[in-house]
Amino acid sequence: MLRRAVSAFCYAAARAIPALRQRNIALPQLPFLRASLIPGLNSDYQSVTLSWPFSSFRPRDYSLPNPSWSPQMLRLYNYYNNLCEQDGEGGKKEIGPWIRLPSYNRTVKYATGGQCLSKVLQAKARLFTRNIEEEGAAFEYAMFLNTEEKAAVCVFQAGPLLEGPVGNLHGGAIATIIDTVTGALSIYLGGLVVTANLNVNYRSPIPLGSVVLVHAALEKMEDRKIYISCQVTSSDGSKLHTEATALFVKVNVGHLFER
Amino acid sequence: MLRRAVSAFCYAAARAIPALRQRNIALPQLPFLRASLIPGLNSDYQSVTLSWPFSSFRPRDYSLPNPSWSPQMLRLYNYYNNLCEQDGEGGKKEIGPWIRLPSYNRTVKYATGGQCLSKVLQAKARLFTRNIEEEGAAFEYAMFLNTEEKAAVCVFQAGPLLEGPVGNLHGGAIATIIDTVTGALSIYLGGLVVTANLNVNYRSPIPLGSVVLVHAALEKMEDRKIYISCQVTSSDGSKLHTEATALFVKVNVGHLFER
């Protein structure tokens, strides 16, 4: 039943693409459901959209700059965002190996038809890293993928609601942004995946309010397993705050609904 | 400067204890700063309070039951809470090996005198796991320590704002509650500690809205290192959702402010 519902979703998405392709709006970042799962979406993940879902509602893209971003955060964002466009023939802008990932605060609940969650829970559900509306209060981040190098970079500004040790980021918040960035890379590489292991070594505290870079890179892929390494550094790369490895496993969508 | 400020805080706290001791109100759970750091507080962690901090303001204890708790959550809370009282001589209630840890949404920013954070950040800072006021929306949990067995149990209800894979808890949210529970046990055992390593194996997804148990136990202590094991199970213990190990290291308070 669930598989059929998701198949129907993908089929409807594929049918909608030709009409939407010309709008050149980014595909919503669907956690644990990547573009390649939808027939016809493989080659242009960053330039195709689905309306949300199949309506005129346009959700907020949380990875775009807002007034809470510090000059440092904005500078790093602009640096990586500029890498997403390359000069092609005749000076025309072309899509480069870098892709900016948009980021929304909802996952695709509609695919399940509400089978697994009460309607109340389903309506209230929000992506953990985007569950606070106040700009600058919690996770402010933007992710960029390098499709050639199979790597990702995230510029991350740590808001005051993420406190653990006094004045510093909570270890769980650091694990969360690592899971998010390594997960996004794994989804790009492997489609529908779940985190199987996260091994985090905390080297030095990250002060609240600071801007850091989260680097993730593919180490190896074996059958259904995707191994990713990750480092969290200061914005100039001079200080290593955290090192981690992550293992993701490709799954069928039914895995998420085994109760 | 910082050490002197913290020393002054501890000294003031120690002076305040005699007057406060008779009020039999729980000591605020100060993340990464435990009672034993304050002279005279070692033996009765659960029955002494400091006013918050040195004022008439009483912060909300987030670990107490609220209307969002499911009957299952409430039943488990009551089970462990009842273990915190034992029948003593003459039927008089005595404090047992179990301790309920109260939980607040602020750490001791005052100890630093605002040296390390801007006043704006300092005023806004909230503990990551308690940064959402709406009851039932995010982390609902209560922690209990067994001082004899050097173990901890947390009853945890996962709210809809903690979503990762559709309908399920975010891997980062699971890592966060593990860090919180193993951290609380380490703070009890070792005083001021920081997380050095968190190694999490995700065995099966945790549906949003469900109630789970987080078990943590001391494995060994070596010099400044505290090794904790942790399991997240279904509320009846029949299903293992997550396994983890955590390493905490005792530090001086100055470590948190090295920039």
Side-chain angles (χ1 to χ4, degrees), chain B:
Chain B
M1 176 64 194
L2 287 170
R3 287 165 200 266
R4 279 166 55 198
V6 173
S7 296
F9 170 80
C10 293
Y11 178 68
R15 283 179 62 89
I17 288 164
L20 296 163
R21 198 179 289 269
Q22 293 164 352
R23 289 163 62 181
N24 198 33
I25 306 166
L27 176 74
Q29 176 204 343
L30 310 179
F32 299 83
L33 181 61
R34 80 169 173 122
S36 66
L37 294 177
I38 302 171
L41 266 183
N42 268 341
S43 60
D44 46 5
Y45 176 84
Q46 77 289 357
S47 62
V48 176
T49 191
L50 308 179
S51 55
W52 188 260
F54 317 122
S55 74
S56 58
F57 173 64
R58 279 278 303 281
R60 174 183 164 196
D61 180 353
Y62 286 77
S63 70
L64 293 173
N66 68 57
S68 79
W69 286 20
S70 69
Q72 192 181 30
M73 176 78 175
L74 205 54
R75 183 179 57 77
L76 286 166
Y77 172 86
N78 287 333
Y79 172 78
Y80 286 103
N81 202 39
N82 288 339
L83 294 179
C84 297
E85 287 191 343
Q86 287 183 331
D87 289 331
E89 286 181 13
K92 193 181 172 188
K93 292 288 182 187
E94 289 183 350
I95 301 299
W98 285 93
I99 296 171
R100 184 186 72 81
L101 286 184
S103 175
Y104 302 90
N105 69 355
R106 310 191 73 175
T107 50
V108 189
K109 281 170 284 297
Y110 302 89
T112 73
Q115 296 295 313
C116 299
L117 286 176
S118 76
K119 286 191 176 177
V120 174
L121 268 183
Q122 184 172 279
K124 286 190 171 181
R126 292 291 180 276
L127 187 65
F128 181 41
T129 55
R130 300 298 192 187
N131 65 9
I132 290 174
E133 284 293 319
E134 185 188 349
E135 292 173 346
F139 293 95
E140 290 289 343
Y141 64 97
M143 291 188 287
F144 301 88
L145 290 184
N146 187 313
T147 55
E148 285 179 2
E149 295 181 6
K150 297 179 179 174
V153 170
C154 171
V155 295
F156 169 39
Q157 180 177 295
L161 300 193
L162 307 181
E163 191 173 47
V166 53
N168 291 290
L169 205 51
H170 195 289
I174 299 171
T176 298
I177 197 73
I178 289 171
D179 187 38
T180 299
V181 181
T182 56
L185 179 58
S186 296
I187 289 166
Y188 174 78
L189 296 169
L192 189 60
V193 300
V194 293
T195 319
N197 175 265
L198 203 60
N199 192 350
V200 186
N201 287 302
Y202 300 91
R203 303 293 185 202
S204 65
I206 300 175
L208 293 181
S210 58
V211 176
V212 294
L213 288 171
V214 185
H215 307 264
L218 174 68
E219 290 299 313
K220 61 178 175 178
M221 291 179 77
E222 287 178 352
D223 300 327
R224 293 168 52 226
K225 296 179 180 176
I226 301 173
Y227 295 85
I228 309 280
S229 63
C230 185
Q231 298 83 38
V232 183
T233 69
S234 56
S235 57
D236 62 359
S238 65
K239 186 166 191 172
L240 177 65
H241 288 294
T242 319
E243 285 181 300
T245 58
L247 167 61
F248 292 86
V249 177
K250 300 179 198 176
V251 294
N252 296 318
V253 72
H255 172 82
L256 298 178
F257 303 106
E258 289 166 3
R259 300 289 186 245

Side-chain angles (χ1 to χ4, degrees), chain A residues 50-113:
Chain A
L50 308 178
S51 53
W52 189 260
F54 319 121
S55 74
S56 59
F57 172 63
R58 279 277 303 282
R60 173 183 165 198
D61 180 353
Y62 286 76
S63 70
L64 294 175
N66 68 56
S68 79
W69 286 19
S70 68
Q72 193 180 31
M73 176 76 175
L74 204 56
R75 184 181 57 77
L76 287 166
Y77 173 85
N78 287 333
Y79 173 78
Y80 286 103
N81 201 41
N82 288 338
L83 294 178
C84 296
E85 286 191 343
Q86 288 183 329
D87 289 330
E89 287 180 12
K92 194 180 170 187
K93 291 288 183 186
E94 288 183 351
I95 301 301
W98 284 94
I99 296 171
R100 184 185 73 81
L101 287 183
S103 174
Y104 303 90
N105 68 354
R106 311 189 73 174
T107 51
V108 189
K109 282 169 285 297
Y110 302 88
T112 73

